[in-house]
Amino acid sequence: MIYLSQLMGNPVYAADGEKIGTVSDLGIATGEVFPRVTSLAFKGPGRTPFMISWRKYVDTYDEKEIHLKVPAVEIRFSYLQPDEVLIARDILNKQIVDTRGMRVVRVNDLKLSDTSSTQLRLLGAEVGARGILRSLSPALEHVALKVARTFGHPIPERIIAWSYMDLVERDLSNVKLSVSHKTLDDMHPADIADIIERLDPRLRGQVFAQLDDEQRAGAMAEFDDDAMAAELMGGMNEREASRMLSEMDPDDAAELVSELDYDKAEKLLRLMGVQEQRAIRQLLGYREDTAGRIMTSEFAALPEGKTVADAVELLRGLDEDFESVRYVYLSDEDNKLSGVVTLNSLIVSEPQTPLADICTREVITASPEDDQEDVAEDIAKYNLLAMPVVADDGHLLGIVTVDDALDVLEEEHAEDLQIAGGIASDDESAHGGDLLWLLRRNAWFFIWMVGAGLFVALSHLTPAFQAPLHEVLLVCSALPIALVLADDSVSYVTNFFLENDPDDEDSPSMLGFTIKSLALGIAFATLVVLVEMALDSVVTAAAGASMPKPLHAGFIAAAIAVLVAFVLCPVWLLVLRKRDEKNEDTSGFALSVAAMVIACLVFCFAVGQLANVMGILGVFA
């Protein structure tokens, strides 16, 4: 086996021993399971690029040099053929789609197999750390492997076979990548959306443009990021975008259109068919985050006087892309929802059985103005596959399907995690890095270090604040108590916010929450003072003298900061509720940082006041 990184830059010698250049690239024939290397690209004198046939001219090769069969004067240069790609230019250090693992990866090296003395074939792409190390230096890779094995953590190769690679950085629509190749065209829309979301922004539109209208519509409905979906829509011409919207389910299309500016949305809607346009405009008429906005107007309905045979005929006549059907809804003479028949009941019933005899009259419904989270929770509570949405007069307007309910619950769960201080998505965790992860979970430590640093700097740089370093450090040793409890106060607020709906009659009042927060603040502040007194007693008994005054001041200041932190709890609750009413996201981490910064400032102010009274830290000396 040999790697592209081991061949790049190697000298190329003619048959007479003359050096004619250095290797710059290899060309492969793409229409094979394991593509043959068909061309050798090298840079000659003056860095002039040349390309020759591998099969015709290459005699021998190894990790150090390449020898040709003929003298330099007999070489005839060639050109890249339509079914060929240059692997260093088109694949190395580029993003590819691993169609088996359904992920986007970057190629760090390419693995080749020498099937004969002169023939090379491409096996696949190295996407792991070894490819990076090898490209830097084979010796570095060798040392890293030995060290990793010594510690019992070997670094494996991560090879993606050519047959599972899909290139995205060049328009290769006319190139057959492999005889058994699986491309984006063969993937589920959810997988396509997931892959496009992970691509570099400059590549998303290029890959999206290669899909047909149906594939675009399917993928667009699966995007988690509405803003990115709108951006992709903005890159399409108006007729293409309109056709794609027509292919989408009305609820998904309405959600996407709502992300566009008014003029753009109106142009696209006018280009659509009358029926599709009416369905989308109807959904856009409802407020965001309501059942009306996420329902679909595509459902199966019949008068209750019809039979099982009529229902089966109706279902057979539906389009293939019709929203998944699990229920047939019945209407009475006044066109009001009167019952529902499950698909299972239709299957086991005789064709001439009246639908009224096998329907369920107790239908669980929603109003179009109901909160979408409540509707989703009811669908989960009653194990429904869809919930009908009815108008005030009982007329059936649409249905909310279980897949849309799951999306709502997932979004609400992500928001709850964000408010509670968690990370909203795996991507954020993956791209944030270890430092961000550490900062999120140990913010108090960083704020403590900053606060202590400011104290130390103040003691050295401010003439009015000349204090020995040991006194400053003793005061700051109590600061973590204030920071940790301030962080806990925000956790207390966010848990209360998530568990109690202000519109619920059983929810505690704001006054009750304020009194309880104040009581907790007094209790924790008292506990801090009691700990300080107990510690002072232990020190006195052991050393025959009480604790140093700076440490006393630090504990008292921490108790004051803790009390203020819990007094502010109602303020944080109001912030959460006001932003929630405006459908604005709120980060629990940001609230925690704000609370800890305030606690730090209160601590510093309290220390300043106490220092003047207790005669420590050299204040105003």
Side-chain angles (χ1 to χ4, degrees), residues 33 49 81 87 94 127 152 168 229 251 308 431 497 506 547 553 602:
V33 177
Q81 301 302 309
I87 57 177
K94 300 296 193 300
V127 297
V168 296
D251 53 330
V308 170
H431 298 306
F497 170 77
D506 297 329
M547 289 191 311
V602 172

Side-chain angles (χ1 to χ4, degrees), residues 327-330 337-341 359-366 382 384 386-390 396:
Y327 305 106
V328 175
Y329 299 96
L330 306 184
L337 179 65
S338 60
V340 60
V341 179
C359 75
T360 299
R361 296 290 183 181
E362 302 271 335
V363 184
I364 300 171
T365 64
Y382 297 108
L384 301 176
M387 178 179 286
V389 180
V390 298
L396 180 59

Side-chain angles (χ1 to χ4, degrees), residues 321-334:
D321 58 351
F322 196 83
E323 186 81 47
S324 56
V325 178
R326 293 295 180 269
Y327 305 106
V328 175
Y329 299 96
L330 306 184
S331 57
D332 58 18
E333 295 178 353
D334 297 325

Side-chain angles (χ1 to χ4, degrees), residues 470-486:
H470 71 277
E471 290 190 7
V472 175
L473 295 178
L474 282 173
V475 169
C476 292
S477 63
L479 179 56
I481 299 173
L483 297 179
V484 171
L485 288 175

